[in-house]
Structure formats: C-alpha cells, structure tokens
Amino acid sequence: MLRAIARMSESASSKANIPHIKCAGCRSESQNSVFHRSVARSPRLHGPRKHRMPSYYERLCKPQTLRRAWKKLNKSNKFSHGFDDETIQAFRDRLDQNIDKISKQLRSKEYSFVPLRAKPIPKDGGGTRILRIPAVRDRVVLTALKILISPRFRKFDHPSSHGYVTKRSRLTAVSKIRELAASGQDWVLEADIKKFFDNVPRAILKGKFFKEIRIASIAPLIERAIDLEVGNLEEFSPSDKAFLLTESGIPQGGVLSPMLANFYLSDFDNAMEKAGFHLVRYADDFVVMCSSAEQALKAYKLCLEVLEGKLGLKIHHLGDLGHKSRIFRFSQGFTFLGLEFRGDKVMPANKAVERFKTRITEILVPSSDESLLRSLTALRNTVMGWGDACRAYHSTEIFQRMDEYIRETLTRYFRSKGFLPSHDALSRKQVRYIGIPSLAQLKQR
C-alpha cells in the first residue's frame, strides 16, 4: 500500500487521476467511503522505502499491543460487563487465550464488535443519562486503538481544555477559574450544551476525523466503533428506544468518546481563544470568565455561532427556563463540575453529595440478590472514586458526615443479611476491616 501511495505522490504534480486504494482492514471494495478517499488523496510519504514500516492496523493486531491495552484497562470493578455478559474477571481468567483469539481475528479481518449494553444512570439535575457500555474484549481493542492514535490528537488539546488531557484534570480547571476570577475576570458565562454525547453529528465527526488524522489502515475499524448500536433495546421504553436508534451521538462511557469529544470541540476552543475569551472547558461542560457583562454577552454570541452554526450542536439559550445558560458575577457563587464555588472556597455540591448517598443506598439494598462480595466491592470502588475526586477541596466536614452515613447504612445491611445481631452496630474499625476505606483518612493523604 505504501508503494502505491508513493507512486501517487510522484504523479501528483502531473495531476494524474488517483485510483482507489483499498485500506488495510477494509472488508470489501464497497467500503470506498469519502473518508477512505480523503486519506488516499493526502499522501504523506515520498519515494520508495526499503523496509516498510508496519501500518497502524498491523501494530494493533500484535498480542503485545493488546496486552498493553489490557494493562491500561480500568479493572476496578471485576464484575463489569457488556452486552455479551462476559465480566472483567471472566476475561482475565482466560487472558492468554482471549488475547490470542482477538489478535487472530483482527489479522484475518474477522473481528466484529459486540453491540453496546445501554445502562441508565441518574443525572445531577434530575432525569437519567444513558451510558453505552462496550464488551470487555471490545474495550481491549478500543484501548489499543486509543494508545496507537492518541499521539496524533495531542495537537488538538488546547490550553482551555482540562478534561481527559494529560497533566490536566478537574483540579486544574478549578484552579484556572479561581486564578482568572482573582485577576479581574470575575464575570461568568455559564452555558450548557444539550446532551452533547448523544447529539454529536457522526457524519461531521467522521469527516473531520479522517480529514485531520489520516490513518487509512484503521479507518474502517474506527468507523464501525463510532456507529456501534445498542443490543438491549427491549429493556427501554419506546421513547428511549427511538432515541437509542438515532444516527447521532458517540457512546457516553465509551473508550474513545472522551478523546473524540475533545477532538470535536477543538474548533470551539480555537475560536474562543483566538477571540481573546477565557474559556475553561472540561469535556462538554464549560464556563467563560470575562471582565464585564458586555464581554460575557459577546462570548455567548460566539458560542452560538460556533457550537450551533458550525458544529451542529445545541446549547441552552440565555433566558430559557431552567437558567442553564446565564451570566453572573463570580461572587454570587455557582456550581460547576459537581463542585460549589462559594467565595474563596470550593466544595462538593449538595447535589453531588446527595447523589453519592443515593448510590451507597442502592448498593446496600437489603433485598438485593447480589452477593456480599459484589456489594462490598461496588461500595469500595464507589467510596474510593468519590473520595479521590473530592479530597482536594473543602470537604473535611462532608467526609466525616459521609463516613458516618456509610457506617450506619452498612450496619443496617449486615443486620438484614443476618451477619450482625439487631442490637449491634459496626464500629469504624470494623468498617475498615471489611475493606471499606475512610473518607476522612483519604483526605489526609
């Protein structure tokens, strides 16, 4: 394939017709899509090579690449599974065989993705958000893809973007907001993109992806990953089912989705930065710090122009019911990324605390059929995750209250299961002994 590209490059000056080049990974000539043709029209190599470098697809097929992906996979919940019901633990039990099987299927172009498992979870402001969870084996392949192609995406990580970017985090976003407010940028434009992950126009995303990234060998695989459908539609209401069948959106909870989200919104970051606005964005959540209400209004107009006019998204407009988009002084306080900004303090927002308590209660439902091991594992993962996310902020008092709530809820759970007499209560030491960490102690690390 590289020789064909080189020949195309040599003949480009004479404006010769460029033939279709079948990309590695293509299953048929019918996949000669606009994306593949755009790659073929953009040769990057000049002249023949004695030793051909392996393509991205060939590197993806290697067992060592897949093993590296497995090591990077989030395995904290060993019972996590996709539509095929294979859990992290089950995949691990046959790790060598699974890696070899995936490698062979990729090499023979016989690998196919499992449909996604849709799972509703509660949203901060009420209602539900539907995650689309891939099978464990697909997570390995998608993580391997991410490892291989992520270096090509780094140039799209603008200074204003803090979510899923190396050496940036929610903490750096919070620090930037406070720094800007202290420097006189104390007017805030808070805007909300309507269901970003669900409404990203796939056609625009794929066109931008294959135009900018230009990796022909994995183009078909990426396209299939973006277009994956949900397998458990029968579990949802007619309205949710219709929503899940739309041809827009990228899977929220998907391996590639955070990287694709930042890539898709990079035009927005660039436009705001070129216009001199102080954008602070974390995935699809953002604020713009301004020096005056007038400047905030100008920033809002540019948001409309880029997000709605160019990227095909929708944002809540100023004045809409619910006030999801608004302009206000920093001193008034506000909630962003599940955190409450109140003067010089930043702390977990009340809704975030209540959602955490609800999750604890859901895990420790006395009537649940889940095993004790599964329940305690889920509880430990939830406590560790929430604690790590919030311990950098003003959370000492909240952590102490939540530790007590966890102890009391665990006591009721153990009594209902017959592990504890009705008149006894778990001590803090006993809670630690069964593997549930103390939020207060996490705070002190």
Side-chain angles (χ1 to χ4, degrees), residues 363-383:
I363 292 171
L364 300 176
V365 173
S367 59
S368 172
D369 293 330
E370 292 287 0
S371 68
L372 178 63
L373 177 60
R374 282 201 177 206
S375 296
L376 293 182
T377 300
L379 178 62
R380 175 181 171 80
N381 292 340
T382 300
V383 173

Side-chain angles (χ1 to χ4, degrees), residues 163-227:
Y164 312 107
V165 177
T166 304
K167 296 184 179 180
R168 292 183 224 162
S169 62
R170 184 169 69 160
L171 183 59
T172 62
V174 169
S175 298
K176 189 63 178 179
I177 290 171
R178 298 178 74 179
E179 174 192 322
L180 288 167
S183 69
Q185 306 293 323
D186 58 352
W187 281 88
V188 184
L189 164 63
E190 182 183 26
D192 184 73
I193 303 176
K194 295 180 180 179
K195 296 183 177 180
F196 169 76
F197 285 94
D198 299 325
N199 291 322
V200 171
R202 290 181 193 169
I204 298 177
L205 170 63
K206 289 186 285 188
K208 177 179 168 66
F209 180 92
F210 293 109
K211 177 184 176 182
E212 298 286 353
I213 304 302
R214 299 176 182 175
I215 307 177
S217 63
I218 60 167
L221 202 62
I222 292 289
E223 195 165 0
R224 296 206 304 272
I226 292 174
D227 290 335

